[in-house]
Amino acid sequence: FADAQVIPAYQLPGPWPVAKRITAFLSDFEELTELGLSLMHVSIAIGISFICGCMLAALAHWVWPLRLFIDGRLTPFLNAFSGIGWLFLAILWFGLDSVTVIFAVTLILVPFTIINVRAGLQELDRDLIELGRSLSRSPWRGVVKIVVPLLVPYFFAALRNSFGVSW
């Protein structure tokens, strides 16, 4: 095992150099601006991927002709294409700007959302859905009052995974 005493400081700095660097980082307006831009890129990419992933998972669940395409072709393709591949493709298409970052991160995150939400949709309690249909004439009310609350844990799992992967 390596000991912190023999590892060079540039590889494993002590608490004081780290504290000094954090203080310098937080007091530099340019670095805080860069942090804000990074947070903005990540937030936009997570939002877009969450919306697209939820829509694709719902389409795969409720529109059976699209199920094979989304579950059998699109999701495996998006999942198998590497992050660096999406980045190079985005650079070729859009150049070096914010759109490139958001596009690449979004396409990396979409499969995580599709897989999580699709698992939640498959685990829905059919008896509760039928109960909702019998108690209300509005199908949207059943979705809002029954389906969405049942999917909340899967939404949070998708968002947690997306946030971790996006960094």
Side-chain angles (χ1 to χ4, degrees), residues 51-149:
I51 291 167
C52 292
C54 286
M55 289 186 339
L56 288 168
L59 282 172
H61 184 74
W62 280 302
V63 182
W64 66 268
L66 293 177
R67 187 172 299 157
L68 179 61
F69 171 71
I70 293 171
D71 288 346
R73 299 282 188 258
L74 183 65
T75 303
F77 170 74
L78 292 174
N79 214 9
F81 206 80
S82 71
I84 196 74
W86 285 122
L87 181 63
F88 287 144
L89 189 61
I91 290 171
L92 288 173
W93 284 351
F94 306 115
L96 290 173
D97 61 359
S98 294
V99 174
T100 302
V101 175
I102 293 169
F103 176 82
V105 174
T106 298
L107 287 177
I108 292 166
L109 299 179
V110 166
F112 293 100
T113 304
I114 293 173
I115 291 167
N116 277 301
V117 174
R118 187 81 171 95
L121 287 167
Q122 289 173 340
E123 295 295 320
L124 286 176
D125 188 353
R126 304 290 174 223
D127 293 335
L128 281 176
I129 305 254
E130 186 178 336
L131 176 67
R133 282 192 196 129
S134 66
L135 294 176
S136 175
R137 289 182 281 168
S138 170
W140 290 109
R141 189 175 211 172
V143 169
V144 170
K145 299 283 186 178
I146 295 172
V147 174
V148 171

Side-chain angles (χ1 to χ4, degrees), residues 14-34:
W16 288 114
V18 171
K20 281 198 261 182
R21 181 65 188 117
I22 289 173
T23 304
F25 181 85
L26 294 175
S27 62
D28 186 358
F29 181 74
E30 286 184 28
E31 290 189 8
L32 285 176
T33 303
E34 294 298 322

Side-chain angles (χ1 to χ4, degrees), residues 34-45:
E34 294 298 322
L35 175 65
L37 287 172
S38 293
L39 288 172
M40 180 189 72
H41 292 148
V42 167
S43 300
I44 291 170

